[in-house]
Amino acid sequence: MYVAIDIETTGLDFVSDQIIEIGAVKFDENGIAEEFSTLVNPNIQIPPEVTRLTGITQEDIRSAPQVYEAAEILKSFIADLPLIVHYADFDIEMLKRRICDLANPHYDTLVLSQIFIKNMRSYSLESLAKNLKLVHDQKHRALSDAKATAALFQLILKEIKNTGVSELEKMNAVLKKSNWYGKNLFMGTGAVSTPVKRQAEQPIAAAAILEKSEKSPAEKKICEALKQNKKTTFELSPRIDAEQNAVAAAEEFAKTSEERVLIAMRWPKNPTIFGKGQYLSVNRFKKFLEKDHFDDKETVFAIKIILWQPDTIIGAKQELNLVREEHSLWEKVCCDDFECPHNRPRQRSMETNCFYNRTLDNMKDKKVWIVSHKTLLGEIDAGDAKLILCDFDEIGESASIALSTVFYSSRIKGLIDNEILRVKAEVLFGLLWRVVEQNTNIEEGKYAEITVNASHKTSPLWQQIKGTALFMEEMIAKEKPNKFLAKLALLIDVILDKNTDHEMEIHRKYSEEIKVVLTPKNLVELTEQKISEACKNPIFIGIFDSADEKIKSEPAPTEIFYLFEDFRKFNRDALFNASANLLQHAIIKNNGRTICVFHSKMALRGAYEAIYEEMKKRGIAIHCQEISGGRGKIIDNYIRNPENSALFILEYYFRQINLEELDFNQIIINKFYSGPDKSEQDFLLDIKKAFNKILSAQKAKRILVLDPFVVPLAEKIKASMVDEIDIRVTKSSQLTFDI
């Protein structure tokens, strides 16, 4: 028998926030045996956002039991039974602080579902319940959440019992060396069946799925440029798929040529190969499993790979559902330049179970390779090949990632085996944290960053940093080389001014984590050199001030972009009110099916709070980033019911999101960033990229741009676009809704 338990609280702060509801159910594999539920008086005000989320009001809890009264009943209910919780890190800690120091064993369905339930965009209880068709009548009410958690755990138990014998043996070998709370679910379990091996999909060239009888104008012109061996710049209509046409042109060219064609994109849909570090090293993982002890995170990480390894064909990280610290653990088991024989031909020929080597071997006879910018700039060698470089306007961002060296303070523990060196590294990052603190005027917990310059290096604090770096330098020289220590040595050299070819940035993130970025000072020249080494006469596809050729789409776009001249006359408060009113009116008139994009968290939250009550009365749900849930959860919820729904997201997430999977016909853009460091040219480019993304989806009939700074640029925006687009400058009072 188990007890699934859930709580609702006034917030997420363990010190100041309080429990307002507790729900629990006793259950086993056959179903629920007993229920417990109570409201709790927190003796503080319930924030409005909590009431909106749970429906629990101040009046509801006025006569509810005090927490100590509820605690006695709860302790009697759960006795010594194991607790089942979704996101135990929060609920268990809050229960310990408010109820009692619970000694019960507990299992976290969030972690377990991430192990056993594949391919979920979100692992929130709400999303899992909907996707797995579990009963979940009242979301964010404790008893309903507890019942859904129980049902989820029952499903997970079935998955555990269906685990193959070989995988269970490997998992038990890890669990014997671990104190992970979940080990008792696996230890001694006998598999009732060996599951049928599932075959993972291999990445396939886009050309393999491109079947059409007539060549597009873009395909013809790209193919002709390949034949002429001429450096050419193309700007395509956003309605023309650059990857699809580039691959089709390359395949056509390859029919009559022996030359290979390399296609590089920012985010290719079907890459031929990933970066080396994206592949599992079977040998390194075997060594990892030989550890004497596994902490909780290492245990979960090892189990994920053990369960995945028999099914994978390509062995790429993208197939795994890794979270947080698991990404740093991956660096201990992925292919690298120190322990893997990729560059040693004799050993490489003997390494038949290396996924990266296998992919390289499979590529030998292919005439068209598709890779990311990062792979192009970082490690691929296509020999004497033609190059089609798509998304050329984004190559700078890709280069800053591919050619920079990045460190995260939170990942130090998982990457350095030597305890003394690890402690010194933690001290070093702590000192770097103080550099940010001393040189910025920010509140605790806020984001900040600095670029280290000569003035920072004259401080007593920097002398402490150099002293720590000198000690680490001596220790690194004595260690066995590996990929991370080589990176760490570069950081030490930069700190000690032995390497002056890199700029050093220190970022203090919201979580108090420190990120250090070392960027080559000659990044532009280095990028040009890398491209030149790949091909002397590349074809560039992207956004240009003056492209050799612009290729329009047929038919022309039908979307209408609205700008509002009356917004230019408003002060800040009047603009906010007018924007909120128009936002609300547009969503209601359109019956949902609207994506709203905000440039800042403050603007997003302000708009959400301004229109929430009216939307609720109208039966329109707002799925709001960071308020309604994480990114995966809000997308899941919107997709299930786009009618009578609006999606509120931040600008950076809008750039990442795949609009093709969303059902919408209206987009509202709150504002573009236009700070003092933004030139008009860069501002126009941001607008153009946003408009291009919208046009590429071919779904929005109406786009409302509420930013008054865009209005005077209407004609320049029109002139910059490849296709002729309909931009209308009007007054908000004159807007009609006739979609």
Side-chain angles (χ1 to χ4, degrees):
M1 190 72 72
Y2 304 93
V3 175
I5 187 167
D6 185 80
I7 58 174
E8 302 301 327
T9 66
T10 57
L12 302 177
D13 190 295
F14 290 128
V15 176
S16 60
D17 285 310
Q18 303 294 325
I19 295 172
I20 58 175
E21 187 177 37
I22 303 170
V25 294
K26 287 181 185 176
F27 72 102
D28 58 19
E29 294 180 37
N30 297 316
I32 293 174
E34 192 176 349
E35 300 178 2
F36 166 76
S37 177
T38 182
L39 291 169
V40 178
N41 191 332
N43 297 307
I44 60 173
Q45 284 293 120
I46 299 176
E49 58 267 26
V50 173
T51 295
R52 286 196 288 264
L53 188 68
T54 65
I56 300 172
T57 66
Q58 206 68 34
E59 186 63 32
D60 293 333
I61 52 87
R62 195 176 304 281
S63 58
Q66 298 294 314
V67 68
Y68 66 86
E69 297 172 308
E72 292 304 314
I73 304 172
L74 179 65
K75 285 188 285 186
S76 174
F77 183 83
I78 65 177
D80 59 354
L81 293 173
L83 304 180
I84 313 302
V85 189
H86 198 78
Y87 190 28
D89 285 355
F90 177 78
D91 284 26
I92 293 295
E93 182 64 23
M94 186 65 87
L95 285 167
K96 285 181 177 180
R97 289 172 179 249
R98 301 289 180 265
I99 303 297
C100 66
D101 190 12
L102 298 170
N104 304 55
H106 70 272
Y107 304 111
D108 190 343
T109 50
L110 172 61
V111 174
L112 292 170
S113 62
Q114 288 170 342
I115 294 173
F116 286 100
I117 301 171
K118 312 296 187 219
N119 303 320
M120 292 290 168
R121 184 185 282 104
S122 167
Y123 284 85
S124 70
L125 182 62
E126 182 180 346
S127 292
L128 286 167
K130 286 182 178 178
N131 285 316
L132 300 172
K133 296 181 169 46
L134 307 177
V135 176
H136 194 202
D137 296 329
Q138 289 183 287
K139 296 176 285 293
H140 301 293
R141 293 305 300 262
L143 183 59
S144 178
D145 285 359
K147 289 179 178 179
T149 301
L152 176 59
F153 186 70
Q154 288 172 321
L155 189 152
I156 290 167
L157 286 177
K158 292 177 182 177
E159 289 294 318
I160 292 173
K161 288 187 175 181
N162 285 325
T163 302
V165 175
S166 176
E167 285 71 55
L168 274 175
E169 288 176 354
K170 292 177 183 177
M171 287 162 56
N172 283 333
V174 171
L175 293 167
K176 286 176 183 176
K177 298 184 283 186
S178 169
N179 295 320
W180 180 50
Y181 61 78
K183 65 187 296 182
N184 292 332
L185 289 175
F186 302 88
M187 295 290 288
T189 302
V192 297
S193 64
T194 301
V196 177
K197 184 173 180 178
R198 301 178 300 276
Q199 291 201 338
E201 292 185 8
Q202 298 187 63
I204 55 175
I209 57 172
L210 180 66
E211 295 181 4
K212 56 181 183 178
S213 56
E214 187 176 342
K215 298 180 182 63
S216 71
E219 178 188 335
K220 290 177 183 177
K221 291 180 179 181
I222 296 169
C223 186
E224 186 60 32
L226 286 171
K227 292 176 180 178
Q228 292 177 356
N229 193 29
K230 179 183 177 183
K231 183 177 179 180
T232 312
T233 57
F234 290 103
E235 184 168 356
L236 309 184
S237 161
R239 293 156 64 91
I240 297 173
D241 188 313
E243 180 173 0
Q244 187 181 72
N245 280 274
V247 171
E251 292 286 359
E252 182 64 26
F253 172 78
K255 290 178 182 178
T256 57
S257 174
E258 294 301 314
E259 291 181 274
R260 178 175 288 123
V261 181
L262 181 63
I263 301 171
M265 309 193 68
R266 180 81 187 270
W267 306 113
K269 296 171 188 162
N270 298 290
T272 311
I273 191 170
F274 297 104
K276 188 184 303 176
Q278 300 299 303
Y279 290 93
L280 177 71
S281 167
V282 176
N283 289 339
R284 293 189 78 203
F285 183 55
K286 283 180 181 177
K287 290 181 182 178
F288 181 79
L289 295 180
E290 293 170 2
K291 284 166 57 72
D292 293 330
H293 176 75
F294 292 83
D295 65 25
D296 290 357
K297 290 180 172 57
E298 290 171 335
T299 303
V300 173
F301 174 74
I303 290 173
K304 285 184 178 182
I305 295 185
I306 288 168
L307 292 172
W308 162 71
Q309 197 175 349
D311 293 339
T312 184
I313 293 174
I314 64 172
K317 179 185 178 183
Q318 282 74 0
E319 298 176 337
L320 280 165
N321 176 42
L322 300 184
V323 297
R324 295 179 293 278
E325 292 91 342
E326 290 171 357
H327 291 286
S328 63
L329 289 172
W330 176 261
E331 295 193 31
K332 289 196 163 201
V333 302
C334 69
C335 291
D336 77 346
D337 293 323
F338 293 94
E339 298 181 57
C340 298
H342 307 120
N343 300 320
R344 302 191 290 276
R346 183 176 296 178
Q347 292 184 48
R348 185 178 183 278
S349 64
M350 299 168 62
E351 188 70 52
T352 57
N353 63 347
C354 175
F355 291 109
Y356 182 69
N357 284 342
R358 200 182 303 166
T359 305
L360 286 172
D361 290 340
N362 291 338
M363 290 169 58
K364 285 180 179 177
D365 297 328
K366 293 183 179 179
K367 288 188 175 181
V368 178
W369 292 2
I370 307 167
V371 300
S372 69
H373 286 171
K374 186 176 179 181
T375 303
L376 169 72
L377 297 172
E379 58 193 48
I380 198 71
D381 180 7
D384 187 15
K386 300 283 189 181
L387 173 64
I388 303 176
L389 182 51
C390 302
D391 306 319
F392 180 70
D393 50 286
E394 298 183 15
I395 192 68
E397 293 181 46
S398 300
S400 67
I401 297 171
L403 304 178
S404 294
T405 306
V406 183
F407 303 85
Y408 293 92
S409 59
S410 63
R411 299 183 184 179
I412 294 297
K413 183 178 178 181
L415 294 171
I416 301 177
D417 293 323
N418 184 306
E419 185 177 354
I420 297 174
L421 182 58
R422 182 170 66 247
V423 170
K424 284 295 182 181
E426 289 171 351
V427 170
L428 180 70
F429 277 86
L431 293 171
L432 293 172
W433 184 94
R434 288 183 58 196
V435 172
V436 180
E437 186 179 47
Q438 287 186 3
N439 291 278
T440 53
N441 296 315
I442 57 167
E443 298 175 18
E444 185 178 351
K446 299 294 184 181
Y447 177 86
E449 66 178 84
I450 64 166
T451 299
V452 176
N453 57 40
S455 66
H456 299 130
K457 295 182 179 182
T458 60
S459 69
L461 177 58
W462 195 261
Q463 300 314 305
Q464 285 184 261
I465 291 171
K466 289 181 73 172
T468 305
L470 281 167
F471 183 90
M472 292 175 65
E473 182 181 43
E474 293 178 7
M475 292 203 67
I476 290 171
K478 298 174 184 177
E479 291 292 305
K480 181 181 177 180
N482 64 43
K483 185 177 180 180
F484 182 72
L485 288 182
K487 289 171 58 177
L488 194 58
L490 173 63
L491 173 60
I492 299 303
D493 283 349
V494 172
I495 289 172
L496 297 175
D497 290 326
K498 292 183 178 182
N499 183 313
T500 57
D501 297 329
H502 289 75
E503 262 191 1
M504 181 177 178
E505 292 179 358
I506 310 173
H507 301 248
R508 198 184 86 177
K509 304 182 76 178
Y510 299 104
S511 61
E512 303 292 327
E513 180 184 41
I514 288 293
K515 180 175 80 169
V516 177
V517 182
L518 304 179
T519 304
K521 292 179 179 178
N522 62 337
L523 186 64
V524 173
E525 294 83 356
L526 202 55
T527 303
E528 291 174 351
Q529 178 186 331
K530 292 278 187 180
I531 294 171
S532 178
E533 288 171 357
C535 181
K536 297 301 180 186
N537 292 301
I539 294 170
F540 298 123
I541 301 175
I543 296 175
F544 300 93
D545 291 333
S546 180
D548 292 329
E549 187 154 6
K550 292 189 175 185
I551 303 177
K552 297 185 177 184
S553 66
E554 292 293 340
T558 58
E559 293 88 341
I560 303 174
F561 294 80
Y562 291 94
L563 313 180
F564 302 98
E565 59 183 349
D566 50 326
F567 281 15
R568 299 181 67 193
K569 303 174 184 177
F570 297 149
N571 61 29
R572 184 174 179 176
D573 290 340
L575 178 61
F576 172 80
N577 292 330
S579 297
N581 288 335
L582 183 56
L583 188 76
Q584 175 178 294
H585 188 58
I587 294 171
I588 291 171
K589 285 291 186 180
N590 202 56
N591 295 316
R593 296 185 69 195
T594 300
I595 298 174
C596 304
V597 185
F598 299 86
H599 73 292
S600 71
K601 293 180 181 180
M602 184 182 295
L604 177 141
R605 181 175 286 275
Y608 174 82
E609 292 178 350
I611 72 172
Y612 174 83
E613 292 299 336
E614 186 61 30
M615 294 295 105
K616 185 177 179 182
K617 290 178 187 176
R618 303 271 185 165
I620 297 175
I622 303 177
H623 305 296
C624 185
Q625 185 178 345
E626 299 191 1
I627 294 178
S628 307
R631 290 178 287 180
K633 179 180 176 180
I634 63 171
I635 294 295
D636 263 359
N637 289 341
Y638 180 84
I639 286 174
R640 288 192 195 95
N641 182 29
E643 294 287 345
N644 300 313
S645 288
L647 183 65
F648 278 33
I649 58 177
L650 292 167
E651 184 181 357
Y652 78 88
Y653 187 40
F654 175 72
R655 291 196 296 268
Q656 301 170 10
I657 204 170
N658 179 12
L659 293 179
E660 293 177 7
E661 64 180 355
L662 302 179
D663 180 9
F664 64 94
N665 60 16
Q666 178 173 257
I667 289 182
I668 303 174
I669 299 175
N670 169 257
K671 196 176 187 300
F672 293 94
Y673 175 72
S674 57
D677 59 333
K678 178 80 71 173
S679 67
E680 181 180 284
Q681 183 178 4
D682 289 340
F683 187 51
L684 279 168
L685 182 60
D686 288 347
I687 297 168
K688 182 175 180 177
K689 286 183 176 181
F691 283 16
N692 276 350
K693 185 176 181 71
I694 294 166
L695 291 168
S696 69
Q698 301 186 47
K699 290 185 177 183
K701 303 299 181 187
R702 176 173 55 228
I703 301 94
L704 311 183
V705 181
L706 311 185
D707 188 341
F709 292 104
V710 177
V711 176
L713 300 175
E715 291 305 317
K716 289 185 178 180
I717 297 169
K718 278 186 182 181
S720 73
M721 303 297 290
V722 175
D723 294 313
E724 294 181 10
I725 63 171
D726 189 349
I727 297 181
R728 301 182 186 181
V729 178
T730 184
K731 293 182 179 179
S732 55
S733 59
Q734 296 174 347
L735 183 65
T736 58
F737 296 85
D738 54 357
I739 289 179

